[in-house]
Amino acid sequence: AAPPPSAPGEPAPPAPPQPLQYSLLLQHLVGDKRQPRVWDPAVLGGIPCPPKSEEQKMVERVMESCPFKAALACVGGFVLGGAFGIFTAGIDTNVGFDPKDPYRTPTAKEVLKDMGQRGISYAKNFAIVGAMFSCTECVVESYRGKSDWKNSVISGCITGGAIGFRAGLKAGVIGCGGFAAFSAAVDYYLR
């Protein structure tokens, strides 16, 4: 029904209130009038990516698994430890040294043999520590459901404590604290 016409001398009745612009904006952003938009990186200037195939998803799942991460850290630790062992043997003046005859010069074969033994020893140790740390960090991350600096500190403490515990409780506590501090420093530097 239309409002009754007002007399010529009377003021006009007030107009119905208009919705605020903020309310209209909210209806378009949150309400039923909201239009879902498909995210297209090409529109924003990005590189368009096709959807991932099932094989790509499977490879991603394998590469994100704890056993794969542990194996990768083990292989990387072995290579890095071997290189570090050979390097330290190369600069050590006692490589090939015979304590029974201190004035004898070691042969190249003896020096290379000692360098190889030290390289293998370091490689095994680095591989074990790398696999332990990586596996522990992956398990802690899976348990906590978060990926932050606390994971590396917790796994560093567990790994250092397990390695040091072979020499006793005090060494285990020191190993836990030292490895956790080292892990925190590395994580802080890399992030």
Side-chain angles (χ1 to χ4, degrees), residues 67-140:
F68 181 80
K69 288 180 180 180
L72 189 64
C74 184
V75 170
F78 189 85
V79 171
L80 184 65
F84 187 70
I86 291 172
F87 173 74
T88 57
I91 61 173
D92 188 5
T93 56
N94 292 329
V95 172
F97 177 72
D98 185 12
K100 296 176 187 172
D101 189 9
Y103 297 110
R104 185 179 71 79
T105 304
T107 63
K109 185 177 181 179
E110 292 170 338
V111 171
L112 290 174
K113 181 180 175 186
D114 281 356
M115 287 174 73
Q117 288 174 344
R118 188 179 294 188
I120 292 294
S121 173
Y122 274 60
K124 285 192 249 180
N125 291 334
F126 275 55
I128 291 169
V129 171
M132 283 177 64
F133 179 80
S134 179
C135 189
T136 307
E137 184 178 33
C138 187
V139 168
V140 168

Side-chain angles (χ1 to χ4, degrees), residues 143-166:
Y143 177 76
R144 291 185 66 227
K146 297 178 184 177
S147 179
D148 58 5
W149 62 272
K150 293 177 185 176
N151 295 339
S152 61
V153 171
I154 292 169
S155 57
C157 180
I158 292 170
T159 303
I163 292 170
F165 191 69
R166 295 183 299 176

Side-chain angles (χ1 to χ4, degrees), residues 32-81:
D32 295 335
K33 296 180 183 177
R34 179 177 164 264
Q35 298 292 322
R37 291 176 38 187
V38 178
W39 187 77
D40 186 8
V43 173
L44 301 175
I47 299 171
C49 298
K52 294 179 183 174
S53 66
E54 287 302 316
E55 291 84 14
Q56 288 173 322
K57 291 178 184 177
M58 184 185 68
V59 168
E60 281 183 0
R61 281 192 300 270
V62 168
M63 292 182 75
E64 289 295 321
S65 68
C66 292
F68 181 80
K69 288 180 180 180
L72 189 64
C74 184
V75 170
F78 189 85
V79 171
L80 184 65

